[in-house]
Amino acid sequence: MGWQVQAEVNTRQQTERVAKKDANLLVPHQPPPVAGGTLLHMFEVIRSEGLGGLYSGLMPSLLGTAASQGVYYYFYQVFKNKAEAIAAKNMRKGQGDGSVGMFSWLVVAALAGSLNVLLTNPIWVLVTRMQTHTQAERKIMEAKREELLREDYENTFMGALQEKLVELESIKPQPYGAFDAACEVYGESGLRGFWKGIIPTLIMVCNPSIQFMIYETSLKHLRATRGTNKKAVKSVTALEAFLLGALAKLGATVSTYPLLVVKSRLQAKQEIGGNISQRYTGTVDAILKMIRHEGVCSFYKGMSTKIVQSVIAASVLFMVKEELVKAYTVLISRRHKIMANMVQ
């Protein structure tokens, strides 16, 4: 379940909002936002919410993962069969060799990814709400405390203030599950609320394409460089495949990560503390307000956590893929030799 913990922390980092001008002007008794890396955020969540806080939204997250994989690969197979049928038809007409080109594969993957996003986005909206609920409730309580302090400063009724602060502190968080999240989303925006963040999510479908483009280009350049050196080993080693995979995923993550942050901001609770700068009506509005109130750096909050979460996994994937390709090539070569010896 390590991926769930990393995803939980990453989502909280993405949705943490601190104005660039007022980041150091904190209200008395208001805890500062958690700074630092993944481990510090994990310890802060455990300290304030217990170990269970790291697994908020686990059940819908598991459901979303299973549904996403199923939907994606179903439509990928459907579009793949269609692409192969078109390629075979073109070959019979004397056009092409019957194989599906790289561009066609990218289109197939993009179509499958887009349908996956459209059908499963409601699940991920609920996951984001459940992962950020405690964070949002804390912000609301801080805003109420700030309002009480402001009223006390204007009216100077110290006794009444203490009573209200004690009453405020005595409020305990209510249980918050998937049904509660669904009711909250529907109450805020109706059915369209379940498709919040759909535009940046659809654009992020290009992430695997960018990843494979960087990987294949780097791999081609490496092989071309070795081709000029007759003494060099032409095959790619496991370490080289690992490093190229890391480079490819890093490039894809850096280029699309701002969209992931915008998506999380749109899907998280909007009505926080009555601050209009923390309410987003859409993708463009979120981008403009983030730049205006938090600066460009806000688009890369929690990126280190995402890199740890995805880059290493992608590196291992590419390394294993290259080793399997080499093993398959060796087996085919040996098979051909055995067949040739049997013929002789």
Side-chain angles (χ1 to χ4, degrees), residues 206-270:
C206 70
N207 182 286
S209 302
I210 297 172
Q211 176 183 338
F212 278 96
M213 180 186 68
I214 296 174
Y215 179 79
E216 293 297 337
T217 303
S218 302
L219 189 63
K220 183 179 179 180
H221 178 71
L222 179 62
R223 286 173 174 166
T225 303
R226 287 186 172 172
T228 60
N229 187 355
K230 295 181 180 180
K231 295 182 180 180
V233 180
K234 293 185 179 180
S235 62
V236 179
T237 65
L239 178 61
E240 289 170 336
F242 181 89
L243 294 175
L244 289 178
L247 176 66
K249 189 61 180 179
L250 181 63
T253 300
V254 171
S255 59
T256 60
Y257 190 80
L259 293 170
L260 184 61
V261 175
V262 173
K263 182 211 76 167
S264 297
R265 294 289 186 96
L266 289 169
Q267 292 179 348
K269 187 178 179 68
Q270 298 295 306

Side-chain angles (χ1 to χ4, degrees), residues 321-332:
K321 174 240 181 191
E322 291 297 334
E323 291 301 305
L324 289 175
V325 169
K326 284 195 288 185
Y328 176 77
T329 304
V330 170
L331 288 174
I332 292 297

Side-chain angles (χ1 to χ4, degrees), residues 16-276:
E16 184 67 45
R17 308 173 193 184
V18 181
K20 57 183 178 181
K21 293 181 179 178
D22 302 324
N24 298 319
L25 300 178
L26 300 173
V27 179
H29 309 293
Q30 178 176 325
V34 181
T38 306
L39 289 176
L40 288 177
H41 277 81
M42 288 174 58
F43 290 143
E44 175 60 25
V45 172
I46 294 173
R47 186 191 65 80
S48 59
E49 304 172 39
L51 194 60
L54 295 174
Y55 295 93
S56 300
L58 176 61
M59 292 306 295
S61 183
L62 291 173
L63 174 63
T65 301
S68 294
Q69 295 295 321
V71 170
Y72 177 82
Y73 284 110
Y74 171 77
F75 284 108
Y76 183 86
Q77 190 64 44
V78 170
F79 292 126
K80 175 187 174 183
N81 294 340
K82 186 66 176 177
E84 289 175 341
I86 293 173
K89 183 178 180 181
N90 290 336
M91 186 181 68
R92 288 193 294 269
K93 293 180 180 179
Q95 303 173 359
D97 59 356
S99 63
V100 180
M102 179 62 70
F103 178 75
S104 298
W105 286 127
L106 291 176
V107 171
V108 166
L111 289 173
S114 298
L115 284 171
N116 172 41
V117 166
L118 290 171
L119 292 174
T120 63
N121 196 74
I123 300 175
W124 296 113
V125 170
L126 299 184
V127 171
T128 302
R129 284 298 178 105
M130 293 178 71
Q131 290 177 341
T132 60
H133 172 71
T134 304
Q135 184 183 35
E137 288 298 309
R138 188 182 73 245
K139 292 275 187 182
I140 293 173
M141 294 294 287
E142 289 169 1
K144 289 180 179 179
R145 188 182 294 109
E146 181 183 354
E147 183 64 27
L148 288 175
L149 291 170
R150 187 180 297 110
E151 290 178 0
D152 176 69
Y153 179 77
E154 294 173 355
N155 301 322
T156 64
F157 293 126
M158 194 65 186
L161 172 66
Q162 291 298 330
E163 290 180 5
K164 291 180 180 178
L165 287 175
V166 170
E167 182 181 351
L168 187 63
E169 293 293 338
S170 65
I171 299 176
K172 296 182 179 180
Q174 298 296 317
Y176 189 82
F179 180 75
D180 300 298
C183 291
E184 184 180 78
V185 172
Y186 184 80
E188 287 180 7
S189 310
L191 286 176
R192 66 185 180 89
F194 292 95
W195 278 269
K196 283 187 175 182
I198 194 70
I199 294 176
T201 310
L202 284 172
I203 298 174
M204 281 194 300
V205 169
C206 70
N207 182 286
S209 302
I210 297 172
Q211 176 183 338
F212 278 96
M213 180 186 68
I214 296 174
Y215 179 79
E216 293 297 337
T217 303
S218 302
L219 189 63
K220 183 179 179 180
H221 178 71
L222 179 62
R223 286 173 174 166
T225 303
R226 287 186 172 172
T228 60
N229 187 355
K230 295 181 180 180
K231 295 182 180 180
V233 180
K234 293 185 179 180
S235 62
V236 179
T237 65
L239 178 61
E240 289 170 336
F242 181 89
L243 294 175
L244 289 178
L247 176 66
K249 189 61 180 179
L250 181 63
T253 300
V254 171
S255 59
T256 60
Y257 190 80
L259 293 170
L260 184 61
V261 175
V262 173
K263 182 211 76 167
S264 297
R265 294 289 186 96
L266 289 169
Q267 292 179 348
K269 187 178 179 68
Q270 298 295 306
E271 300 296 325
I272 300 178
N275 189 344
I276 194 171

